[in-house]
Amino acid sequence: MEEDTVANAIQLFGNVSSFIRKFIFRILSVGPIPNHIAFIMDGNRRYAKKWNLDLRVGYKAGILALICMLKYCMELGLKYITIYAFSIDNFKRRPEEIQNVMDTMRDIIEGMLKEESSIVNQHGVRVYFIGNLRLLSEALRAAAEKAMNVTAKNDKAVLLVCLAYTSSNEITHAVQESCNDANRACHGGEKSEIKEEEEEEQYPIIKLVDVERQMYMAVAPDPDILIRSSGETRLSNFLLWQTTSCLLYFPKALWPELGLRHLVWAVLNFQRRHSYLEKKKKQS
Amino acid sequence: MEEDTVANAIQLFGNVSSFIRKFIFRILSVGPIPNHIAFIMDGNRRYAKKWNLDLRVGYKAGILALICMLKYCMELGLKYITIYAFSIDNFKRRPEEIQNVMDTMRDIIEGMLKEESSIVNQHGVRVYFIGNLRLLSEALRAAAEKAMNVTAKNDKAVLLVCLAYTSSNEITHAVQESCNDANRACHGGEKSEIKEEEEEEQYPIIKLVDVERQMYMAVAPDPDILIRSSGETRLSNFLLWQTTSCLLYFPKALWPELGLRHLVWAVLNFQRRHSYLEKKKKQS
């Protein structure tokens, strides 16, 4: 009987929260809503340390916070969400910690596809894994590829998970691909009549759009807002190319503590600057 | 007589300020001092508007603030200072405004070289102009090139002035140069015996270091701190490649209002995170 009362109270609290949230989102929607928000989920380990918890519990709290944040973003009507899940630099951590993260991520991906009530299935989200996926364990890479194939027809929203990613790696990879394309275009045609001395002048020109087309992140527009939790005011090699005109927001809360208020604050700031930023975009 | 009193009072105030500043810097120097700070000097036009001043006066106030900031940085013992003077995107402003900025900059450069008491001559500063200088007016480009030649032997500190600069342009330029180098290396040797079919496999590999070497900013290490005035939390296509691990600081003050307290605050924040950032660097 007492359990029932507690359950009812929790459900009532949930309903009231959901009602208030939807009310806030309805008000926010009067203004422009960002198209794309990117998150650096920093502070899971510090959260575990702060509350004397096991590292795994810290990561689990981080995942819960991520699920909540994704839900809020969907409710708010965002089309693109990017998360920095694992940097190439993170491969320098202890092997058992890397293994732990890889296993947890594989579990999440598999759970996400199986459960009908998961964010992906409930909201029709297409998932992309962004980065040098060849660096991942075979099991995780297979799970990531499966998730991309299974969700390929979803079109309500797009979740971009940066795994084994750094911006330097992305840019170098894009450059290499643009060079290969340009070389192919140059050498593919008739070349036999070009004189040796003239060859010096025949280097193909690579344009900005060629490099941009080859970026891993080319599947999405540039983010409007980048949020990094835990008060660190650095980009840590994340979306350097794409954050040219992006609003940066560094709340002090650790990732598992990040909540609705931070999202609302970021969107309000975006709305405040929106007309100015649009004017700038039109100039370019 | 009265004028003398005022002049004495001003001198006394200047001496006291200088003494306090040196005292603060002495205390700061107990901790690590950043090697390189970059500035986005945002808010000159808003400053003019705020105080109902002519645009030219706004820019002049900005230049005064810049001279003070450079002086503080030199006194603090910084080796590299970078400023974002004019973006490629700024060429979209009204022609008379562009002309005004170009003329002002030429005057500054010429004055800087002539006056013995200028920051450059007084502190032995080497000046680099960073960006696509071909986009500048001929007179300004000539002045910039002269300044680089005249200061080439100065070695106490380095001032990098980003003129006609954007990061996308810098990266694309570096990519193009790396490709040319790679192509030269590939085609320069003996190639006559390579079979046609094998040529497909002969595309030169371009590495991260190759691209980095070709960056305009390769003459300096990556900045430790980037400060953008006027509360705008965006990078606006400035040093995107170089700010991977850089601390970002966005004080609300407009550029002409930026002062010693902001510099001290930025350095204190740098010192607070220094051991953590050093540990990260050693891991890479």
Side-chain angles (χ1 to χ4, degrees), chain A residues 267-281:
Chain A
V267 174
L268 282 172
N269 260 324
F270 168 80
Q271 294 185 335
R272 199 161 56 86
R273 285 178 169 92
H274 185 257
S275 62
Y276 174 73
L277 291 174
E278 280 301 296
K279 212 174 85 186
K280 282 226 134 194
K281 259 187 211 163

Side-chain angles (χ1 to χ4, degrees), chain A residues 92 172 175-176 179 183-184 203-204 206 208 231-234 236-237 240 244-246 248 273 276 283-284, chain B residues 92 172 175-176 179 183-184 203-204 206 208 231-234 236-237 240 244-246 248 273 283-284:
Chain A
K92 287 164 207 150
T172 328
V175 166
Q176 188 61 53
C179 288
N183 263 330
R184 259 181 233 121
Y203 298 141
I206 292 167
L208 197 65
E232 288 292 334
T233 58
R234 293 173 294 122
S236 297
N237 220 334
L240 300 179
T244 300
S245 319
C246 177
L248 308 174
R273 285 178 169 92
Y276 174 73
Q283 280 174 357
S284 22
Chain B
K92 288 166 207 148
T172 328
V175 165
Q176 188 62 51
C179 287
N183 264 330
R184 258 179 234 123
Y203 298 143
I206 291 165
L208 197 63
E232 288 291 334
T233 58
R234 295 172 293 122
S236 296
N237 220 335
L240 299 179
T244 302
S245 320
C246 178
L248 308 173
R273 286 178 168 91
Q283 279 174 357
S284 21

Side-chain angles (χ1 to χ4, degrees), chain A residues 243-267:
Chain A
T243 46
T244 300
S245 319
C246 177
L247 288 181
L248 308 174
Y249 175 40
F250 304 106
K252 287 218 168 128
L254 301 173
W255 175 254
E257 298 164 347
L258 209 80
L260 181 65
R261 68 187 187 285
H262 301 102
L263 180 66
V264 171
W265 183 251
V267 174

Side-chain angles (χ1 to χ4, degrees), chain A residues 2 39 67 116 118 148 150 169 190 204 216 248 263 274:
Chain A
E2 207 170 89
F39 295 95
I67 292 171
E116 282 201 12
S118 75
M148 287 199 274
V150 168
N169 178 268
E190 52 290 334
Y216 294 133
L248 308 174
L263 180 66
H274 185 257

Side-chain angles (χ1 to χ4, degrees), chain B residues 52-68:
Chain B
N52 257 332
L53 300 167
D54 186 69
L55 203 60
R56 278 170 177 265
V57 183
Y59 281 120
K60 285 213 171 132
I63 291 161
L64 272 178
L66 172 63
I67 292 171
C68 284

Side-chain angles (χ1 to χ4, degrees), chain B residues 108-127:
Chain B
I108 296 171
I109 297 171
E110 284 172 355
M112 189 171 77
L113 297 181
K114 255 188 231 155
E115 286 166 33
E116 282 202 11
S117 62
S118 75
I119 293 276
V120 168
N121 292 325
Q122 210 181 356
H123 291 270
V125 178
R126 178 169 192 172
V127 183

Side-chain angles (χ1 to χ4, degrees), chain A residues 185-205:
Chain A
C186 206
H187 295 297
E190 52 290 334
K191 63 181 282 277
S192 54
E193 291 181 25
I194 299 167
K195 286 180 204 156
E196 272 283 299
E197 313 86 86
E198 276 175 12
E199 282 209 347
E200 189 74 12
E201 304 299 314
Q202 293 294 320
Y203 298 141
I205 297 291

